[in-house]
Amino acid sequence: MKRTTVKIDDSLDARMRHEAARRGMTVSEWTREAIAAHLPGGEQRGETPRRVFHSAGAGDSGRSDISERMEELLAGLTEGRDTLAAEGDTPGRRLSA
């Protein structure tokens, strides 16, 4: 590996160290990953792939009819009913007003 020096302000340094610690990584590991994620072509050389947003799909209810029934579901919430929970086919998922 080659050593490189990068000059950053105190605020960015603190954010970088916090994120590395949060992810259980050394600052060097985090820096290598961050740089690789912003350079094109790293995937072909076996480098760390671009960042994946784990929140994508977090609102997936597992149902395909939600958008078509939006008015009905919202009307039920304003009346104090959770229509999906009442139907009983969405265990653990509840709408809230």
Side-chain angles (χ1 to χ4, degrees), residues 46-62:
E47 295 175 5
T48 303
R50 292 193 66 88
R51 184 175 176 191
V52 175
F53 291 94
H54 298 288
S55 60
D60 183 13
S61 68

Side-chain angles (χ1 to χ4, degrees), residues 35-50:
I35 292 170
H38 286 86
L39 293 174
E43 304 83 32
Q44 290 85 17
R45 291 189 299 272
E47 295 175 5
T48 303
R50 292 193 66 88

Side-chain angles (χ1 to χ4, degrees), residues 8 10 15-17 23 29 31-32 49 54 57 64 68 72 74 86 93:
I8 58 176
D10 291 341
R15 290 172 46 208
M16 174 184 66
R17 290 177 185 284
R23 294 175 59 187
E29 289 170 328
T31 303
R32 283 190 294 273
H54 298 288
S64 61
E68 291 88 10
E72 171 196 352
L74 291 175
R93 299 182 187 260

